Each structure stands twice: as C-alpha cells, then as structure tokens.
Amino acid sequence: MDRRTLIASGLATLSAAGAAKAQTQTQGGPPPPSQTPDYPTPAEPFTREEMVNNVSDFLGVTAEAAGGAIERVFKENGRPTAYIAGQEASGAISIGARYGHGLLYMKNRQPIEVYWQGPSVGWDLGGNASRVFTLCYNLQYPEVLFQRFPGVEGSAYLVGGLGVNYLRSDDVILAPIRAGVGLRLGANIGYLGFSRKRRAWPF
C-alpha cells in the first residue's frame, strides 16, 4: 500500500469514528439548552360562583349580599386572578392609618401570607376592626403584589351592606370588600402598601 492510500485510509477511519462519537453523544448525552425557557403559566381566574361563596362564607353575609357586590365588580373588571382574605384595623381623626394581615390565594398555588398598611385622609373619625376580602385583577404572579396601590378617586360605594373601593397600580387592580363599614369608606382616600412582613410605619 502506497503512502497516499495509507493517508486516505487513515483519514476515513478518523472521520467515521468522529461521526459515531457525535451520534452517541446526541443520543445518550444531555439535551441542548432550551431557547424558550419554561416560565410559570399565567394565573387561572376565579368564577363568579366561587367568589360569591367565598365572600359569603368569609364575611358572614348572605349569598344575595355577596352576589350584589360581586356582580358589580365583575361587570366592571371581569374575573379576578387572585384574592386576599384577611383582617384589618383602622383609625382616623381626618388623617388615619390602616393595617391588615391575610392570605393571598391563587389557583393551583400555595397561599402566601401578606401584610398591608397605609395612610388615609377624609371626613372620617373613629376606629374599627373588620374582615376584608380583596379581589385581585391582572395579578399573574404573587411578587407583583408587593408594592403601593393608590386609591382610585370616587371608587367607593356600598352594595348590599358591603363597602367596595378600588386600588390600582399600573394594570393591577385591587377591589377590597368590607362588611359593615358605613362611613368608614371616607377613609379610603390614600394608598395601601403590601409586604411580606408586618410594618409599624404606615407610610
């Protein structure tokens, strides 16, 4: 066998071995990195019936009263992607403060403990403690909740003995529903800041 034939034969053998090794790595090795990361899916919204039952049970009101408040909120905003069930205390002499604590619920996810606090300004005088059920709209991931939500001017109203008002930050809308608040709706001019830990300072 001459030199040229020997060199050609050697190159062919090396090429075949390299191809076989590459095929083995492709079949048995780890897959290549994904070009499209698998992010969490968006939150699944709640139905009207689910919210009516939850509001009625948690706030201790009739299904008719809960349905009246939910109907209006749903008509204006649609189906919520989350809700917060908790308790809060507030007090004011024209200028006041509100503190709350509850659990954030989203479908197919573990509840998360949350706190909220914020100042208020209005024609309010006195103090109260109550349960509050907050519908959350366009909240796809829990982390987005932890910020300040200013009150929407003129949003407070009463439906079936339940007080409802709106808080908004960018596309995320919160609709707290409170039972027996009466004139306490006047204290909702301000904002609420949500956090993972309790804070003593409302601002």
Side-chain angles (χ1 to χ4, degrees), residues 32-56:
S34 173
Q35 299 301 317
T36 56
D38 185 18
Y39 291 111
T41 57
E44 181 182 352
F46 291 90
T47 65
R48 177 187 179 278
E49 290 71 22
E50 288 174 321
M51 290 297 91
V52 169
N53 292 333
N54 288 337
V55 169
S56 177

Side-chain angles (χ1 to χ4, degrees), residues 116-153:
W116 60 91
Q117 54 281 317
S120 60
V121 179
W123 35 257
D124 196 28
L125 175 65
N128 72 334
S130 61
R131 288 190 171 190
V132 57
F133 192 101
T134 302
L135 278 65
C136 308
Y137 290 90
N138 302 320
L139 183 68
Q140 302 298 335
Y141 308 105
E143 293 74 15
V144 180
L145 178 68
F146 301 112
Q147 58 174 306
R148 288 181 177 179
F149 287 84
V152 179
E153 184 177 357

Side-chain angles (χ1 to χ4, degrees), residues 127-192:
N128 72 334
S130 61
R131 288 190 171 190
V132 57
F133 192 101
T134 302
L135 278 65
C136 308
Y137 290 90
N138 302 320
L139 183 68
Q140 302 298 335
Y141 308 105
E143 293 74 15
V144 180
L145 178 68
F146 301 112
Q147 58 174 306
R148 288 181 177 179
F149 287 84
V152 179
E153 184 177 357
S155 69
Y157 56 84
L158 284 168
V159 179
L162 298 177
V164 184
N165 74 299
Y166 290 142
L167 307 168
R168 181 168 186 166
S169 178
D170 295 328
D171 293 334
V172 180
I173 299 174
L174 307 182
I177 302 175
R178 301 178 177 91
V181 293
L183 296 182
R184 293 297 300 176
L185 285 172
N188 288 330
I189 302 174
Y191 64 81
L192 287 181

Side-chain angles (χ1 to χ4, degrees), residues 34-117:
S34 173
Q35 299 301 317
T36 56
D38 185 18
Y39 291 111
T41 57
E44 181 182 352
F46 291 90
T47 65
R48 177 187 179 278
E49 290 71 22
E50 288 174 321
M51 290 297 91
V52 169
N53 292 333
N54 288 337
V55 169
S56 177
D57 293 341
F58 185 76
L59 296 182
V61 298
T62 64
E64 289 76 14
I70 292 297
E71 188 67 32
R72 178 161 179 173
V73 178
F74 266 59
K75 183 178 180 180
E76 295 177 350
N77 299 283
R79 298 168 61 186
T81 54
Y83 68 88
I84 303 170
Q87 299 179 346
E88 66 177 21
S90 62
I93 303 177
S94 295
I95 298 176
R98 188 183 299 274
Y99 295 88
H101 167 232
L103 292 175
L104 170 68
Y105 293 90
M106 303 180 78
K107 283 192 173 181
N108 303 317
R109 302 182 188 182
Q110 291 294 324
I112 297 177
E113 190 173 32
V114 299
Y115 295 87
W116 60 91
Q117 54 281 317

